[in-house]
Amino acid sequence: MPELPEVETIVRELNKEVKGRKILDAWTDWPKIIKLPAGFSNFKKEIINRIIKDIKRRGKNILFYLSDNKIMLIHQKLTGHLLIGKWQFCQFDKQKESGLKGNQKWKPEDKNSALTDPVNQYIHVMFWLSGGKMLALSDVRKFAKIMAGDKDKILNSEDLKNLGPEPLNSSLSVEILEKIMAQKFGIIKEVLMDQKNIAGIGNIYSDEILWEARINPFKKANKLNRDEIKRLYKAIKKILNKAIKYHGDSISDYRDIYGKEGEYQNIQNVYQREGEPCRRCGTKIVRFKNKGRSGHYCPRCQK
DNA sequence: ACAATATCCTGCGAGC
DNA sequence: TGCTCGCAGGATATTG
């Protein structure tokens, strides 16, 4: 489940691998992933024969800036993986090649290939690029989302327009954070994860940030005092920057575009550490449920 | 205005 | 062995 640090890692790698390349062709076996424009052939018209000028991140969204003022947006949601590789046929061709019928799905031998191999049974969208490269979207649960269109249209779409400030640049200051929190009645854990408030933070990093800031996840956002806001602000910057340094968190199924794991799972303080000792005070980490989401915290340091 | 719930999907592991 | 069930959780749509 990529959050800001994972998406940032992917975007940096994409800038090395696909910037300057032309999109030659695209393929899908699950057109529902494409939200805009309607119809895969229309989608292809927006991107084919256009050059990838730049790749940027906004929250958890990946933005491919294309020639002719077009943008392709990809959101990987829970299980989406962008994988880079050499030109290959898609798994549909593999299926034909091996003589399998429609209901017999071709599967690669390696069980891990959904996370690492640009040709596997979970690839639902593929892009053939100039220079013999291929970019594939693997997505077990088919939640990923892709949109393409005129730059202004995409930048003004609900998906981007409603996002809160980017936490790692100057668009988030202590004052802005204080303002955001002052008008939120929900618990801080939820408020942090709501993309309308701050962009890019999900379940893993909200847990980690609150532990770092020594704030109880159930505390109401508007009840945070000035000192807590400051700690929260520092923790957001520190944890997200550190996680980028560690190339993301692969406790679950996150991989980069080469299929490689991040390292942050090795230094996590609370997420999925239920029952293990808090690294600050030794108290057992507690797992809780809120609105069907799990969270983790230290009941002693996060009062 | 807000909160709780359902929806999209599939794999995995627990329990019977 | 094989089934059902709950869980995973990002974001949006819908109902209360």
Side-chain angles (χ1 to χ4, degrees):
Chain A
M1 63 223 72
E3 300 179 30
L4 187 149
E6 290 76 28
V7 179
E8 180 64 28
T9 304
I10 288 165
V11 165
R12 290 180 186 183
E13 292 176 350
L14 284 172
N15 270 300
K16 283 190 214 153
E17 296 290 347
V18 308
K19 192 193 266 184
R21 295 185 193 277
K22 193 188 261 189
I23 302 173
L24 300 176
D25 202 2
W27 169 92
T28 187
D29 71 343
W30 200 260
K32 274 174 94 172
I33 287 175
I34 317 289
K35 307 292 177 192
L36 194 88
F40 193 65
S41 56
N42 291 326
F43 169 74
K44 276 170 77 163
K45 275 182 205 154
E46 298 290 334
I47 61 163
I48 298 296
N49 285 328
R50 301 219 152 86
I51 292 162
I52 301 169
K53 299 290 227 181
D54 201 3
I55 303 105
K56 292 184 180 173
R57 178 189 61 73
R58 178 75 174 98
K60 301 171 192 170
N61 298 278
I62 301 171
L63 299 170
F64 293 81
Y65 283 71
L66 308 178
S67 49
D68 303 325
N69 270 319
K70 299 281 183 183
I71 287 183
M72 176 169 71
L73 178 155
I74 299 184
H75 192 310
Q76 303 173 101
K77 296 279 181 86
L78 287 152
T79 52
H81 289 80
L82 278 174
L83 296 164
I84 189 87
K86 288 185 210 157
W87 260 19
Q88 284 180 56
F89 293 117
C90 59
Q91 59 275 20
F92 184 72
D93 299 295
K94 295 262 185 190
Q95 178 144 349
K96 273 207 271 186
E97 221 172 71
S98 44
L100 293 168
K101 301 244 161 66
N103 56 348
Q104 301 170 289
K105 212 166 188 182
W106 171 83
K107 290 178 187 174
E109 281 168 27
D110 180 7
K111 235 194 144 190
N112 211 30
S113 68
L115 312 179
T116 59
D117 190 341
V119 180
N120 69 62
Q121 73 269 40
Y122 303 110
I123 302 286
H124 297 303
V125 186
M126 283 170 70
F127 303 98
W128 282 268
L129 308 176
S130 58
K133 291 272 177 175
M134 189 180 88
L135 189 64
L137 179 73
S138 179
D139 190 4
V140 169
R141 291 170 72 180
K142 299 174 177 166
F143 285 171
K145 173 176 186 169
I146 300 182
M147 307 194 319
D150 289 337
K151 185 178 158 189
D152 291 343
K153 190 174 180 182
I154 300 295
L155 292 180
N156 289 316
S157 65
E158 302 285 310
D159 296 74
L160 297 179
K161 218 176 49 187
N162 295 335
L163 287 178
E166 276 299 319
L168 291 186
N169 61 32
S170 57
S171 53
L172 187 70
S173 63
V174 175
E175 288 68 32
I176 293 170
L177 186 64
E178 194 167 32
K179 247 185 211 166
I180 294 168
M181 293 303 159
Q183 36 186 292
K184 301 294 164 198
F185 298 90
I187 65 170
I188 182 65
K189 164 84 172 161
E190 278 173 46
V191 171
L192 275 181
M193 284 197 289
D194 189 337
Q195 303 303 296
K196 292 193 282 297
N197 301 328
I198 303 169
I201 299 169
N203 210 25
I204 296 175
Y205 294 108
S206 56
D207 274 3
E208 296 294 315
I209 286 166
L210 289 172
W211 182 88
E212 178 69 28
R214 285 176 283 118
I215 296 170
N216 186 290
F218 294 104
K219 184 138 190 177
K220 302 272 191 255
N222 62 350
K223 299 282 185 205
L224 294 175
N225 62 37
R226 177 87 188 169
D227 189 51
E228 288 170 320
I229 295 281
K230 276 189 186 164
R231 285 187 343 237
L232 182 62
Y233 175 79
K234 276 191 183 166
I236 289 171
K237 302 261 181 189
K238 181 177 168 184
I239 296 291
L240 295 179
N241 277 318
K242 198 170 182 184
I244 291 171
K245 251 191 186 166
Y246 279 75
H247 304 112
D249 189 307
S250 293
I251 185 117
S252 186
D253 62 3
Y254 165 71
R255 299 292 185 278
D256 70 3
I257 67 172
Y258 310 106
K260 227 179 82 192
E261 292 191 5
E263 302 288 336
Y264 198 81
Q265 67 278 11
N266 301 323
I267 57 162
Q268 268 173 201
N269 288 310
V270 275
Y271 188 75
Q272 290 202 3
R273 290 193 68 240
E274 184 189 14
E276 287 174 53
C278 169
R279 300 199 208 279
R280 235 176 351 225
C281 74
T283 306
K284 280 187 176 177
I285 299 300
V286 170
R287 178 190 163 123
F288 62 90
K289 272 256 169 199
N290 181 257
K291 286 190 186 171
R293 296 263 141 83
S294 65
H296 312 75
Y297 76 117
C298 169
R300 188 162 167 208
C301 331
Q302 294 173 261
K303 291 272 186 207

